[in-house]
Amino acid sequence: MEPEVKEIDIVPKVKKAGTEPEAKKVNLNVIKNWTEDERPRERMTRKGAQALSDAELLAILIQCGTKDVSALEIAQQILRKVDQNLVALGKLSAEELQVIKGIGSAKATKLVAALELGRRRQMIRNIEKPKLASSKDAVSLLMPMMQDLAREHFCVLCLTANNTLLHREFASIGGLTSTTVDLKVIFKIALQYSATRIIVAHNHPSGNPKPSNSDRQITQKLQSGAKALDMQLVDHIIIADRLAFSFADEGLL
């Protein structure tokens, strides 16, 4: 019996027009799809952090964007929210950061932590016991601690007789416009560290360093109380963003 012969089509089949697979689209909202020269992380590795813009540094912390926007675009939105002001950025809470699309709880927490590390780095220069011989010295110490605080804080600096810093501590934390100052708490701290001189300070989140009537009254009470304990109130300083007001410099002590 003859084997069955099957016909073989040796003519290649021609694909119908329009049936070719489409080229895969590259999502340029994903930073890893950018060229290496454009990616912030690779640029920082090659050129150093100083070569990057504020937005690019933020983008590295944010890491990834959404399907619609890249991490860099999210970083630019954050900076626009604070008018490109890094001091204002340092005041944003995690909740405020999460208002921006693409910033969830984890990313917001990471950004707040990074900003806090930056703030502490500013303070580390004063970790030794410096001499506070003038209001300028005191402001240099207090500014990194207090300029970004969203609520009023009242701080006491305990000094030796030659103005060497013994201790610094927040004696009270209040609201957006005021804080309750307990003189007993302030003098308890001063006595605990055997201070002979003290400087007190508080911040104005409003950004206006001008003292209120209440500030003036508290200063008078502190001055009288210090004198009764054989201490000296050297100064009362108000920190408001990057501005400062010194009661001593203004002749109010």
Side-chain angles (χ1 to χ4, degrees), residues 132 141-142 145-146 153-159 165-172 183 185-191 193 195 197-202 222 231 233 235:
L132 307 182
L141 177 76
L142 293 162
M145 294 171 54
M146 306 184 76
H153 289 57
F154 202 95
C155 180
V156 56
L157 305 178
C158 301
L159 310 176
L165 179 68
L166 292 168
H167 179 70
R168 57 187 171 188
E169 185 173 330
F170 286 123
S172 67
L183 272 62
V185 171
I186 291 171
F187 290 123
K188 180 180 178 182
I189 294 169
L191 290 168
Y193 289 90
R197 313 183 90 196
I198 60 171
I199 294 174
V200 296
H202 75 283
L222 284 167
M231 292 181 193
L233 176 64
D235 205 348

Side-chain angles (χ1 to χ4, degrees), residues 136-180:
K136 184 178 179 180
D137 294 338
V139 169
S140 295
L141 177 76
L142 293 162
M143 190 70 76
M145 294 171 54
M146 306 184 76
Q147 66 179 349
D148 296 335
L149 299 176
R151 293 187 292 166
E152 276 207 10
H153 289 57
F154 202 95
C155 180
V156 56
L157 305 178
C158 301
L159 310 176
T160 64
N162 67 350
N163 296 317
T164 299
L165 179 68
L166 292 168
H167 179 70
R168 57 187 171 188
E169 185 173 330
F170 286 123
S172 67
I173 300 174
L176 295 175
T177 57
S178 66
T179 182
T180 301

Side-chain angles (χ1 to χ4, degrees), residues 104-154:
S105 176
K107 289 179 182 176
T109 302
K110 184 188 293 185
L111 289 171
V112 170
L115 292 164
E116 177 61 24
L117 281 173
R119 186 179 296 113
R120 293 184 186 187
R121 182 179 181 276
Q122 283 183 283
M123 294 168 59
I124 202 70
R125 292 171 300 175
N126 301 306
I127 201 165
E128 300 298 329
K129 294 181 177 179
K131 281 193 176 182
L132 307 182
S134 66
S135 61
K136 184 178 179 180
D137 294 338
V139 169
S140 295
L141 177 76
L142 293 162
M143 190 70 76
M145 294 171 54
M146 306 184 76
Q147 66 179 349
D148 296 335
L149 299 176
R151 293 187 292 166
E152 276 207 10
H153 289 57
F154 202 95

Side-chain angles (χ1 to χ4, degrees), residues 10-11 15 23 96 102 109 131 134 160 176 185 230 238 250:
I10 62 172
V11 179
K15 292 182 179 179
E96 289 171 317
T109 302
K131 281 193 176 182
S134 66
T160 64
L176 295 175
V185 171
D230 200 23
I238 299 173
E250 297 298 325

